[in-house]
Amino acid sequence: MERSKWPKETIDLWNRLYKKDAADIETIQKSIVHHVTTTLARAAYNMDNFTAYQAVALSARDRLIAQWNETQGQLSKADPKRVYYLSLEFLLGRSMDNALLNLGLKDVYAKGIGQLGFRMEDVVESESDAALGNGNLGRLAACYMDSLATLEYPAWGYGLRYNYGIFQQRIIEGYQAEFPDYWLNFDNPWELPRLDISIPIYFAGHVHSFQDEYGVTRHKWVPGQSVQAIAYDVPIPGYDTENCNNIRLWRSKPTRVFDLTSFNEGNYEKSVEDATQAEKITSVLYPNDNTMAGKELRLKQQYFWTAASLHDIVRRFKKSQRDWSDFPEQVAIQLNDTHPTLAIVELQRILVDEEQLNWDDAWEIVTRTFAFTNHTVLPEAMEKWSVPMFEYLLPRHLQIVFDINLFFLQKVEKRFPNDRELLKRMSIIEEAQPQQIRMAHLAVVGSHKVNGVAALHSNLIRDTIFKDFVEYYGSDKFVNVTNGITSRRWLNQANHKLSELITETLGSDAWIKDLDLLKGLNKKVDDKVFQKKWMAIKRANKVRLAELIKERCGIEVSPDALFDVQVKRIHEYKRQFMNILAVIHRYRTIKSLTPAQKANVQPRVVIFGGKAAPGYYVAKLVIKLINSVANVVNQDPAVGDLLKVVFIPDYNVSLAEVIVPASDISQHISTAGTEASGTSNMKFVLNGGLILGTMDGANIEILEEIGEDNIFIFGCLAHEVEDLRYAQRYRGVPMDPALQGVLAAIEKGTFEDPKIFQPLISTLTIGKDYYLISADFASYLRANQAVDAAYKDQDEWVKKSIRCTANMGKFSSDRSVKEYADNIWHIKPFKVVDNQQID
Ligand code: B1N
C-alpha cells in the first residue's frame, strides 16, 4: 500500500519502532555481538582484532545510517540550496575512530569492547586506510567534508570509487617499489552500495545535426559505447550534530547488453573484452601528484564521473519542478582543481541538447552554478587534452568546447580589439600539434568565482597564469580561500591526550568546533605546571613514534633528540633533496668535531616519509639517496645518537596521525612560489610543533598568526625567484661552497656507488638548478643552526610550542568552508532535528 494511504495504526507502529538505538553500554555490546554472530557469521571463540573492528564498524555504521536517512529525508523535504564538491580524490584514511568521536560515543564503545575482551587501540589499528587520493588535494577534500557536516551545511561530495587507491610503498635496497592497494579485499563497512542507482554513461560515436520544428539547427550526440555508473555512498557524520552528509562515489560496470554488434556477430570474446574495459574505468587512482600524465583512461574517468554526478544533480533538481533559471539558486558546484572541468561542458550539453534551452540562457545558468579552485601553478600540472583524443571520446563535447571558446573570444575581441596575441594567450584551445584544450582556461571561463588556496598563491595566479583573465573579468572574480584542516581529526583524534589537556585548561571542549578559542592557551604560556604537562604529552608522542620507527625500520632513535620531520609527496619543488644534502653537511660537520665539541651538538633525528610518482625518476632517486645516507650515518660510531636518519615507508593518513603529534620541527621548504598552500604545515603547528620553512604557501599566513619568533624562516622570496634563476643561468653565479663540499662527498662514494646519483646531482648544474637549492643553501644551514640553538633552551621552546597551538584558529577548515559558503556558494546551514518520526 502506498505510504500516503496508510491507516493511523500503521504510522503509529512505524513511529514506535523507528527509534534510534540508545547509547548505553549494553545496547552497544548487544549490537556488536549481533554483528559478530550474524552479519559476520563468527562466534566469540574465533574472533580476532579484525573481526572486532568489523563488528564495531558495523555497529557504528548502523547509527550513521540512521542519521544519514534523517538528514537526507529532511533535506529532500526542505530542499534548500546545496553544494556539490566534485573531487577526483577523497583521502579519508580510517573512519571508525573518527565516526565514534564525531558521534560522541568513543568512550562508551571503548568500554563496551573492552569488557568484551578487546583493546580499543588494537581494534582501531585493524582498520586499513581508504586511500583514494595522492596527497594534500585529496586530504583537503576530506577535511572539508568533515567541516561541511559539522557546520550543518547541505553538501554532497562526488568522486570515484577506485578499486585500487594510491599504491603501497615498500623500500627495497633503498629504492621505492610500488604494490597495488587492493583496499576492498575485506569489504568496506563505510560504504553503502546503491545498486539501484545505475546511470548510463556514453562515449564516442558521432554527432547528428538537424533542423528542429522552428528551423533552428540542433545537435544530438549518437554515442558509440555505453557503461553504467553505480553509486556507493559514504556517510560523513558531523561532530556533535545530527547532520550526516554524503560522499557519492561512482563505480563503473558494463551495461547489461553492452555492445550489440559484438554480441550479434557472436563474438563472445570481444563482448567480454568490452565488459572488462568498462570495469577498468574506475579501477585505479592515477598516482601523480601535481603532474599530468595525459592518458586516455584518465579522460574517461573524468567524463564518467562528471557525467554521472551531473545526471544525479539534475535529477534531484528536476524533482522540485522549478524553472531552469532557478538552477543556480538551488545548486552550487565546486570544482576541485581542473579535473572535473568537463562538468561545465556536460551541463551546457544537457541544457542545450536535451532540455532545449537556447545557448545564452544555458550558459548563464552554467556560469552561475560553477566555481573553480586552482591548486597549483606548476606548468607540468596544468591539464591539457589533445583535441583528437577528446574528439574521439566526446565528439559533441568538443563542438561545445569550440563554441564556448568562439563566443568567449568574440567578447574579448570586442573589449580589446586588434590584439591577436591576447586572443592566442586567452584561448581555451592551444594552437599546438595537435591542438590542446587548456582545462584551466575552460574552468575560468565557465565559473563565476576562481580561488587560490593561500594568500600568496591567489595573488600569484592573478599575476601570472590568469593575468589576462583578471584584466578581462575584473578582479572580483578571483578570490582567495586559504586552506584549512579539521581539528576533529588532527587534534582531537590524533592527539587525544593534548586535546584533553586543552579542554581541561580552557574549561570546555567548545574549541573543537571553534578553534579560535585556543587563543585562551596564550594565558598559560608561562604556567610551569601547564608547561610540564604540555611537554610530557609531546614526549609520550615521541616515544610512540620511536616505537613505530623501531618496528617499521629497525632503527633505534632516542625520544630525547630533536625530531625533525619532512613527510609529504616527494617532488623536486618540495626539495627533500635539499634536506638530505643538509643532513650530509651535518654529518660531515659532526665527523670533523673533537669529542669536546661533540658534547655541544644538539642530537637530531631526521625523519622522512612520502611517495614518489612511479614514473618520476628523479624523485625516486631522492628516496634512494635518503636511504643510502641513512645507512651510512646510522651505523657510524663516530656519530652515535647525535644524528639519525629515517625513511618511514608507505606514508599515509594513519601514519601522519602518529607522526604529526610527535614532531619538534617539521620542514616545509619548497622554493618560494611553488607550494600553493600546504596543509601538513598547519597540522604540525596545531600540535605544538615548530616549522622550518620558506616564505611559501600558507607558511606566510602561519607566520602572521603565530609571530616570527615561533617559526624558522629562510630562503628567497617568491618575487626574487625569477631574477635568481636568470642570474644563475646567465651570470654564472657560483655554487654555494658548502653545497660543493656535500656534492663532492657524494661523488667520492661516501654513500654507495656515486654513479647512481649522477642524474640527481646534475639537476644542480649551474644554470639548471631550477628550484634554487644552491641559492637557498646557506640560509637553510643557518636556519637549521638556529633550530638547534632554540631547542637547547627548553624553557623557551615549550613557550614557543604552546604559542603555536594557541594561535592556529585561523587554519580550521571550518573557517575555510564558511568562507566558501558565504562568498562563493551562498548556502546556509540546515540543522537536522532528531524527531525520530517517519514524517
Ligand atoms: O593541493 C593542496 C595544496 O595544499 C598543495 O600546496 C598543492 O600542491 C596540492 C594533479 C594535484 N595541487 N595540485 C595537486 C594533485 C593530483 C593531481 O592529479 C594535481 N595537488 C595540489 C591543497 O590545496
Side-chain angles (χ1 to χ4, degrees), residues 89 136-137 140 288-290 298 339 375-376 453 483 573 675-678:
E89 307 190 5
N136 245 318
L137 173 139
L140 183 77
N288 302 319
D289 186 270
N290 257 303
R298 168 83 167 192
H339 318 149
H375 291 269
T376 182
V453 290
N483 283 167
Y573 84 83
E675 186 73 274
S677 163

Side-chain angles (χ1 to χ4, degrees), residues 49 53 74 84 149 199 217 246 306 414 417 468 517 566 625 762:
N49 279 329
Y53 152 68
Q74 292 179 32
Y84 298 101
I199 295 172
T217 305
N246 191 31
T306 51
K414 239 189 185 156
D468 296 322
L517 294 175
Q566 188 180 18
L625 179 60
S762 72

Side-chain angles (χ1 to χ4, degrees), residues 88-89 134-141 144 285-293 298 302 336-339 373-378 381 383 452-454 457 483 573-574 674-682 697-698:
L88 258 192
E89 307 190 5
N134 275 286
N136 245 318
L137 173 139
R139 183 54 232 176
L140 183 77
Y144 282 0
L285 164 80
Y286 275 91
N288 302 319
D289 186 270
N290 257 303
T291 36
M292 142 100 197
R298 168 83 167 192
Q302 294 186 351
N336 198 23
D337 216 279
T338 50
H339 318 149
T373 306
N374 168 281
H375 291 269
T376 182
V377 291
L378 298 190
E383 280 200 303
V453 290
H457 169 67
N483 283 167
Y573 84 83
K574 295 180 189 279
T674 61
E675 186 73 274
S677 163
T679 51
S680 76
N681 42 6
M682 303 169 188

Side-chain angles (χ1 to χ4, degrees), residues 8-20:
K8 185 167 177 316
E9 307 89 86
T10 311
I11 294 177
D12 286 348
L13 177 60
W14 272 95
N15 279 338
R16 193 150 48 75
L17 297 175
Y18 189 75
K19 286 281 172 270
K20 242 177 32 182

Side-chain angles (χ1 to χ4, degrees), residues 194-202 227-232 248 250-256 304 308 311-312 315:
R194 302 275 181 208
L195 302 184
D196 53 318
I197 301 180
S198 165
I199 295 172
I201 304 295
Y202 303 103
V227 301
Q228 296 292 317
I230 311 291
Y232 285 73
R248 179 157 285 179
W250 299 105
R251 174 189 192 175
S252 61
K253 279 253 184 90
T255 308
R256 194 80 78 84
F304 170 83
H311 187 104
D312 216 34
R315 181 176 62 176

